[in-house]
Amino acid sequence: MKNIVAMPTTFIVKLTQICNINCSYCYVYNHQSEAHAQLPQFLLNDDVHRLGRDIAATRHIHSDVVRKVVFHGGEPLVAGRKRLQEYIDILRSYVPDITFSLQTNGILLSSDWIKFLKNEAISLSISIDGGKADHDQFRVDKRGRGTFNKVRRSIDLLHQTDMPFGLLCVVNPYASGADTYRALKALTPHNFNFLIPDVSRDTCDTYYPELPRLSIGHFLQEAFDLWLAEPEVVRVGLFSDMVAAVLGWKGRTDAFGSENLAYLIYETNGKYELLDVLKVCGSNMTQTSEDIDLLNLNENEQINTIIRSQRIIPTECRACRHAEVCRGGYLPHRWDQQREFDNPSVWCDDLIYIWDHVKRRVSDLARQIDDVSHTLSKSNLIPVYELY
């Protein structure tokens, strides 16, 4: 079998299957998969030892790249500081220079948690979807109540303790992109990113009924224009990668297809999984029939199938003017039962709209200055993904 799978350098480690809130769009709990119900609630120390041994065994591959672990969930803070300290100590015993980050909904953050994260050099990102009304539309607790006020209190605490943080925002297609961008900037994060909503072609209407035409495209355009107008460009991963693609640079995201998966998921049962957002496509899409051997990824046919699907531009997209930069969109968003991944993204019209806009804005900027690639420096535009 021809080797097509490169060794990942980032590992998304699921600390727990438990979450303390209930976002209506959550691909883990509220989409097509019930896998979480069959998985252990917490990752065991023995499985962390296995992960540490595996990562150490791969260090000769891409020896100049630091390995990264992103703690995820569920809600990772539910695991508690004692358990997380044990995991960190185990992993560092195998890979001393490994780096850590953590993605949280922020509800459980406290002064003690922030002190712990600082002491362990764990970078932090908070999930928040803009201002209060837009955030509370989808990100609710188990009783259906909005969570914005609790998240905002945690962000205020981060500022009080001088703890840098990033933000992760799922695009709300019913909201204003400009208002959302301003709301996120007002929180003065170190960086932030937008995620296009995770649905397949089979399920979009269920989760986002009666959408205005091009709602995602208009949202992104409004936010992009504000971002580009900033005197000092803050890192916004999605926009950085889009501009990078227009300039002919290679980005680091798989939001628009990719040569490879730069990360693997490590579940609470101590097994590796593929791209976990594939759970929006079907119940067993992320599970493999055999245990994945990190040192022999190319021997796993299911991984090879996903990588091939991600690399191949869908048939209907090949004549599109944006085929080489968009590549059909994010892999899970291409899925339907009839043609599987050989479809344009469910957000295709929106993607065409925003790619047209980004190309036009970069072209306009290039006409005004001698070297657009120098002005829009790589250090600002190529996203440094501190978090997943």
Side-chain angles (χ1 to χ4, degrees):
M1 181 186 301
K2 182 181 178 182
N3 287 355
I4 68 168
V5 185
M7 182 62 62
T9 57
T10 297
F11 300 85
I12 313 298
V13 178
K14 301 298 185 78
L15 300 186
T16 178
Q17 296 299 320
I18 301 171
C19 191
N20 57 334
I21 64 174
N22 187 36
C23 304
S24 59
Y25 56 58
C26 180
Y27 64 82
V28 176
Y29 305 109
N30 292 322
H31 265 267
Q32 309 305 299
S33 176
E34 296 293 331
H36 63 275
Q38 283 75 51
L39 291 168
Q41 288 194 334
F42 295 100
L43 186 64
L44 298 178
N45 284 8
D46 285 348
D47 294 320
V48 182
H49 278 285
R50 179 208 172 181
L51 176 62
R53 287 192 297 269
D54 282 357
I55 296 174
T58 68
R59 293 187 70 190
H60 66 286
I61 306 170
H62 308 305
S63 58
D64 60 332
V65 178
V66 175
R67 269 48 178 176
K68 179 184 297 184
V69 161
V70 182
F71 294 122
H72 217 277
E75 166 51 44
L77 297 188
V78 168
R81 291 188 295 279
K82 180 177 183 296
R83 182 181 279 111
L84 185 53
Q85 183 71 71
E86 291 173 354
Y87 296 164
I88 291 168
D89 291 343
I90 290 169
L91 292 171
R92 282 185 175 147
S93 72
Y94 292 100
V95 188
D97 63 345
I98 196 167
T99 66
F100 297 104
S101 56
L102 186 145
Q103 183 69 44
T104 175
N105 60 41
I107 305 297
L108 299 178
L109 270 179
S110 64
S111 296
D112 287 340
W113 260 116
I114 294 171
K115 181 179 179 181
F116 173 87
L117 295 171
K118 280 186 171 182
N119 288 342
E120 296 300 328
I122 302 172
S123 60
L124 179 71
S125 181
I126 307 289
S127 296
I128 187 169
D129 290 352
K132 178 176 171 57
D134 297 330
H135 174 97
D136 286 347
Q137 185 173 356
F138 298 108
R139 298 190 65 84
V140 297
D141 65 17
K142 299 295 179 69
R143 297 174 63 182
R145 300 171 301 187
T147 60
F148 178 87
N149 289 341
K150 292 181 179 178
V151 179
R152 181 58 199 264
R153 283 196 293 270
S154 294
I155 290 174
D156 290 342
L157 185 60
L158 289 168
H159 284 303
Q160 294 166 19
T161 54
D162 294 321
M163 173 75 176
F165 61 93
L167 298 176
L168 189 61
C169 173
V170 175
V171 170
N172 181 340
Y174 304 103
S176 159
D179 290 346
T180 301
Y181 184 90
R182 293 189 186 101
L184 297 177
K185 279 298 298 296
L187 298 173
T188 59
H190 183 257
N191 55 65
F192 61 94
N193 201 5
F194 290 111
L195 296 181
I196 297 173
D198 288 318
V199 287
S200 73
R201 294 172 63 89
D202 290 334
T203 62
C204 184
D205 290 343
T206 300
Y207 289 89
Y208 295 99
E210 300 180 1
L211 277 183
R213 185 174 180 272
L214 299 178
S215 56
I216 296 287
H218 289 146
F219 179 107
L220 294 176
Q221 178 211 325
E222 292 175 7
F224 178 85
D225 286 344
L226 289 175
W227 173 75
L228 198 62
E230 297 283 353
E232 294 184 5
V233 181
V234 66
R235 286 198 299 273
V236 177
L238 182 68
F239 297 156
S240 299
D241 264 307
M242 295 186 79
V243 174
V246 170
L247 295 174
W249 301 338
K250 186 175 182 180
R252 299 179 58 189
T253 183
D254 58 355
F256 305 108
S258 173
E259 287 298 303
N260 227 301
L261 288 176
Y263 53 86
L264 274 180
I265 313 300
Y266 197 64
E267 269 291 1
T268 55
N269 60 358
K271 294 184 177 181
Y272 297 103
E273 282 195 354
L274 310 178
L275 177 64
D276 62 341
V277 185
L278 290 172
K279 288 173 180 173
V280 304
C281 306
S283 183
N284 299 312
M285 289 294 293
T286 64
Q287 299 171 351
T288 56
S289 57
E290 58 187 272
D291 195 11
I292 294 173
D293 179 355
L294 187 59
L295 294 175
N296 295 285
L297 291 177
N298 281 282
E299 295 180 6
N300 188 292
E301 183 55 37
Q302 286 169 284
I303 288 183
N304 277 268
T305 298
I306 293 299
I307 296 297
R308 290 190 193 101
S309 298
Q310 184 159 278
R311 286 183 174 183
I312 296 172
I313 298 175
T315 304
E316 291 182 28
C317 298
R318 292 172 193 171
C320 176
R321 58 186 174 276
H322 303 304
E324 291 303 319
V325 290
C326 179
R327 304 187 64 80
Y330 193 33
L331 186 65
H333 301 172
R334 303 177 205 168
W335 174 267
D336 68 21
Q337 291 289 336
Q338 182 178 4
R339 299 178 62 182
E340 299 186 344
F341 296 113
D342 188 23
N343 298 289
S345 167
V346 65
W347 305 114
C348 178
D349 290 344
D350 300 84
L351 294 179
I352 289 173
Y353 179 87
I354 189 60
W355 278 114
D356 278 340
H357 184 73
V358 170
K359 286 186 174 181
R360 183 166 55 249
R361 289 302 312 276
V362 172
S363 178
D364 290 344
L365 189 58
R367 284 194 290 270
Q368 300 171 28
I369 56 180
D370 292 332
D371 185 357
V372 66
S373 64
H374 175 73
T375 301
L376 298 177
S377 66
K378 288 189 180 184
S379 63
N380 282 331
L381 289 180
I382 298 295
V384 179
Y385 282 134
E386 298 181 358
L387 295 153
Y388 172 61

